[in-house]
Amino acid sequence: MRSVRTDLASTLREAVRSLLGARLRTLLGLIGIMIGIASVITMISIGEIAKSQSRKDFEALGTDIVTIKPPDYLIGRPGRATIGLEDALALAEVLPSVSEAAPRIETQGSFRYAGKRVGGGSVQGVSASFADVNKLQMAEGRFVSNLDRGRYFAVVGADVADAMRRRGAGTLVGQTMEVGERLYTVIGALESAPETYALPFSVDANRSIFVPITTIRRTEPEAQIELIVARAAPGVHYADATRDVRAYFHERARGLELEVVSAEQLIEQMESQLGLMTLLLAAVGCVSLLVGGIGVMNIMLISVAERRREIGVRRALGANRGDIQRQFLIEALILTLSGGIAGVIVGTGAAYGIAHIYAWEFFISPASIVVGVGVSTAVGIFFGFQPAYQASRLDPIVALQGE
Amino acid sequence: MLRLVDIQKSFRLGTLDVEVLCGVNLEVAAGDLLSIMGPSGSGKSTLMNIIGLLGRPTAGSYFLDGRDVSSMKDRELSAFRNMHIGFVFQSFNLLDHLTALENVAVPLVYRGLGRGEIRRRARAMLEKVGMEDRLGHKPDQLSGGQKQRVAIARALVGEPAVVLADEPTGALDSDTAEEVMQLLIRLNREERNTIVIITHDPLIARQCTRQTLIRDGLLLGGLRQAEAAE
């Protein structure tokens, strides 16, 4: 009996040749797998990149951050208890465990300068500590101070400032801008702040303007404080700070429901959220992979049907069932594996693009490559098996009658 | 060397058993150039498939190279087919995506030989059939006669016990057919290859050294003793 089976190199070469023989079909099958693998790779990479980026953003902001906000499901519900402005402003003074507290009332508006639109976005009513807590840097002028009570002063974000300069404003401080229906005097402009999409609360400073919180209270009496960003006092454990904050508001506002979350908890929450998201997205990717795999199976079944005569000839020339099965399985594998490699490349590229758009630090996730190659191999074996088995079971006489 | 004893083959067609071969006896000795002639529907394809180890008889015994092949499993049977049988088909059946040389190499690849030896033997065989200057051509670059030469080289490259040629000239014009026939005759005479030609054409059959006739599932002249007795 033959001891040495057909050597792998020539089997591979032949498989490549047959695949090239049906170029369009091969290409289509390859694209199917490529899309599947690419989406899985993109999802996994972006998940990992976002995770590492959000941790980095948090660390830049400081891990002593504590956020206080009503639960999302309550926002906008009429008749609910809300955070009192005076309570929010007094928070840091009353509680020794909290060093700073920056409440925010956010509304939307469009910004005009010299009669021309210079952007639109959030109008954030804040206190003096907001810049500090969120590490916003001044490019020009000063930030909102606690002495600006009720005055129509505005600090513009970097993008808004740029737009105003393009409209001919030399020095921004002292200029007058329209925010909605009202006129504001610009008292300062911010440096461009890094985007922090990866954080669960986004200040989005560049496209916003900041006004005294007391002013926005007057112009938008319906708007409520939906966020307080606070810092725990040095050396205070975040658990103590959050406990104190809860007690503080519990005492002052009956029935007020709040989420008081420390940075550590936020990071954990966010990571588990991102993990879940990644899982979901990967599941979507898997569905497209499944579709791709079915495509490969379809292509291989067609290939087997079209090449019945070849199968018959090979059987007549001495190929046994195992040889035929191996041949078709290897073809399916080459198909899915090259689709997989292309998918890894495209997926990594897509992840790079997305990371670039959000200005996240890009890295190649090794896990995604292992998953991509591994999964495409598995898909090839799984979906290639049935057609290969079918090919191997063909009666050589029937197969030789061909077509 | 090749002996069929009382081979029967029947197919089930619905509820009906159709007997295609009803007790065929055949002996082929090394160096024979034997024709099996018969009209279509006479069972000659079925017989060829059984001789070629592609189909199994319903009853009877088949000895090839001293071994009873009727009990062999797929793996062994395939290896045996690879070692002992060479096929030449009416429609050539070359693999389109392979070159002439690669087509001829296929039986040796399944035998698991080394790459160098496979190339050497395939090339030598193509030289023998006069195709040495077409090694790298694909089937669609070859004429019908050239294709059949390549196919003959493929059948012979493994030095099989017997070459089965099923209407080898059936798809060729008469001049080319004659050339291919002469090639088979020469390979038989000079190289002592054992060749069995299945045909419906008496002109082809006449050129063989032994002739048999198949009709209604029975083979006439299959036994060498019978021939000797005449």
Side-chain angles (χ1 to χ4, degrees):
Chain A
M1 289 295 295
R2 290 169 277 180
S3 55
V4 191
R5 297 300 312 171
T6 60
D7 71 307
L8 193 65
S10 67
T11 314
L12 287 178
R13 217 175 21 247
E14 272 222 29
V16 170
R17 297 276 278 289
S18 335
L19 288 171
L20 288 179
R23 224 163 250 150
L24 182 65
R25 200 162 65 202
T26 301
L27 193 71
L28 291 176
L30 215 129
I31 288 175
I33 289 296
M34 188 190 78
I35 291 173
I37 294 287
S39 44
V40 172
I41 296 291
T42 312
M43 304 310 168
I44 294 176
S45 304
I46 284 301
E48 286 195 14
I49 291 172
K51 222 178 198 172
S52 101
Q53 187 67 37
S54 60
R55 186 163 268 282
K56 229 176 265 166
D57 286 354
F58 251 118
E59 274 159 12
L61 207 57
T63 44
D64 53 353
I65 288 266
V66 175
T67 62
I68 303 150
K69 55 183 193 172
D72 288 341
Y73 66 88
L74 274 184
I75 290 179
R77 191 179 284 190
R80 65 176 167 131
T82 54
I83 301 175
L85 177 56
E86 298 309 322
D87 293 341
L89 289 172
L91 182 63
E93 280 157 43
V94 174
L95 292 182
S97 58
V98 174
S99 66
E100 285 180 296
R104 180 180 79 172
I105 298 177
E106 189 180 17
T107 64
Q108 301 296 315
S110 69
F111 318 140
R112 297 168 75 81
Y113 168 70
K116 302 244 167 52
R117 191 182 145 85
V118 287
S122 72
V123 180
Q124 308 193 23
V126 296
S127 62
S129 52
F130 193 85
D132 229 28
V133 172
N134 289 292
K135 303 209 164 154
L136 302 176
Q137 303 291 325
M138 299 310 297
E140 193 181 314
R142 64 172 179 87
F143 198 69
V144 172
S145 104
N146 291 341
L147 301 173
D148 298 331
R149 293 185 76 90
R151 316 233 3 216
Y152 290 90
F153 285 165
V155 175
V156 295
D159 290 358
V160 182
D162 284 345
M164 287 175 74
R165 286 193 196 97
R166 279 199 299 276
R167 297 288 179 207
T171 314
L172 295 175
V173 174
Q175 302 281 356
T176 302
M177 70 186 295
E178 283 172 65
V179 178
E181 304 289 289
R182 291 186 169 79
L183 291 178
Y184 282 76
T185 305
V186 176
I187 56 168
L190 293 174
E191 293 273 13
S192 178
E195 308 277 4
T196 52
Y197 294 115
L199 295 181
F201 69 91
S202 163
V203 172
D204 196 18
N206 295 341
R207 280 182 286 277
S208 303
I209 67 166
F210 298 87
V211 303
I213 195 165
T214 41
T215 309
I216 210 162
R217 179 65 345 143
R218 183 183 301 164
T219 62
E220 305 277 351
E222 295 301 311
Q224 298 298 333
I225 297 173
E226 311 292 12
L227 174 71
I228 303 174
V229 183
R231 268 179 207 280
V236 173
H237 192 266
Y238 64 82
D240 296 333
T242 54
R243 194 200 50 227
D244 288 354
V245 169
R246 272 180 212 284
Y248 174 87
F249 282 106
H250 187 72
E251 215 171 276
R252 280 162 182 76
R254 293 233 139 247
L256 175 61
E257 272 188 69
L258 284 180
E259 285 174 349
V260 182
V261 186
S262 70
E264 284 303 321
Q265 287 168 297
L266 267 179
I267 291 176
E268 275 167 32
Q269 248 179 35
M270 195 178 44
E271 283 186 349
S272 81
Q273 249 173 42
L274 276 173
L276 190 70
M277 177 106 94
T278 307
L279 209 68
L280 273 172
L281 292 174
V284 171
C286 283
V287 170
S288 52
L289 203 56
L290 189 75
V291 173
I294 291 170
V296 165
M297 186 157 166
N298 194 17
I299 281 170
M300 291 311 294
L301 283 173
I302 294 172
S303 174
V304 170
E306 268 185 9
R307 287 157 66 193
R308 289 167 71 107
R309 187 179 280 265
E310 174 185 336
I311 293 164
V313 172
R314 286 183 182 276
R315 295 281 276 136
L317 298 180
N320 59 38
R321 287 179 182 150
D323 291 326
I324 298 295
Q325 187 166 354
R326 195 171 307 115
Q327 180 190 343
F328 281 93
L329 205 52
I330 283 178
E331 277 185 34
L333 261 177
I334 288 179
L335 193 65
T336 54
L337 209 58
S338 15
I341 289 168
V344 168
I345 293 169
V346 170
T348 307
Y352 177 82
I354 294 172
H356 186 77
I357 290 171
Y358 288 106
W360 293 343
E361 196 176 307
F362 173 76
F363 58 89
I364 292 173
S365 137
S368 72
I369 291 176
V370 173
V371 167
V373 172
V375 167
S376 55
T377 309
V379 166
I381 292 174
F382 187 79
F383 290 98
F385 184 82
Q386 174 61 23
Y389 181 77
Q390 227 175 58
S392 76
R393 291 286 133 172
L394 275 178
D395 179 351
I397 298 172
V398 178
L400 268 171
Q401 284 155 3
E403 273 76 306
Chain B
M1 184 195 59
L2 182 159
R3 192 153 61 89
L4 278 72
V5 182
D6 199 25
I7 293 287
Q8 296 172 32
K9 179 76 179 178
S10 53
F11 293 100
R12 252 199 121 70
L13 267 183
T15 54
L16 217 64
D17 267 335
V18 180
E19 233 181 3
V20 182
L21 299 177
C22 354
V24 166
N25 291 288
L26 173 67
E27 285 175 341
V28 180
D32 275 357
L33 175 57
L34 175 115
S35 69
I36 298 175
M37 193 173 77
S40 55
S42 57
K44 59 183 194 299
S45 298
T46 306
L47 180 57
M48 191 201 78
N49 288 333
I50 289 172
I51 299 174
L53 305 175
L54 292 171
R56 290 172 190 277
T58 316
S61 324
Y62 177 9
F63 298 92
L64 180 57
D65 201 33
R67 293 209 36 200
D68 185 356
V69 296
S70 29
S71 60
M72 285 186 183
K73 297 259 182 295
D74 173 67
R75 184 172 278 273
E76 199 184 354
L77 202 64
S78 301
F80 218 66
R81 184 161 58 230
N82 177 271
M83 292 298 287
H84 296 294
I85 308 282
F87 283 96
V88 176
F89 302 96
Q90 177 173 4
S91 49
F92 324 125
N93 278 342
L94 297 177
L95 303 183
D96 292 332
H97 57 282
L98 301 183
T99 64
L101 189 70
E102 288 164 338
N103 263 291
V104 174
V106 171
L108 301 182
V109 171
Y110 285 121
R111 204 171 287 187
L113 300 181
R115 195 121 68 92
E117 189 183 359
I118 291 177
R119 282 188 75 85
R120 191 177 52 71
R121 284 175 68 172
R123 186 189 297 266
M125 197 61 229
L126 277 165
E127 274 168 27
K128 250 179 222 168
V129 299
M131 292 291 291
E132 60 276 10
D133 52 349
R134 294 283 190 279
L135 302 178
H137 286 55
K138 297 258 175 88
D140 58 8
Q141 297 167 307
L142 299 173
S143 71
Q146 289 172 329
K147 279 184 207 170
Q148 200 57 304
R149 281 169 189 273
V150 173
I152 289 169
R154 182 177 65 182
L156 285 166
V157 74
E159 290 168 359
V162 57
V163 172
L164 290 178
D166 182 14
E167 303 280 7
T169 60
L172 304 171
D173 64 67
S174 54
D175 286 350
T176 320
E178 183 54 30
E179 272 174 43
V180 165
M181 201 53 212
Q182 287 312 314
L183 173 65
L184 288 173
I185 291 167
R186 179 166 67 77
L187 289 168
N188 170 255
R189 268 198 209 130
E190 294 173 8
E191 312 275 338
R192 302 289 298 154
N193 287 303
T194 310
I195 299 176
V196 174
I197 297 177
I198 293 94
T199 183
H200 69 279
D201 183 353
L203 292 176
I204 298 289
R206 203 169 298 154
Q207 299 180 65
C208 296
T209 50
R210 272 183 72 199
Q211 288 136 33
T212 64
L213 201 65
I214 187 167
R215 178 154 291 161
D216 299 330
L218 286 168
L219 188 72
L220 308 174
L223 297 178
R224 293 181 69 83
Q225 295 94 315
E227 206 177 330
E230 273 178 350

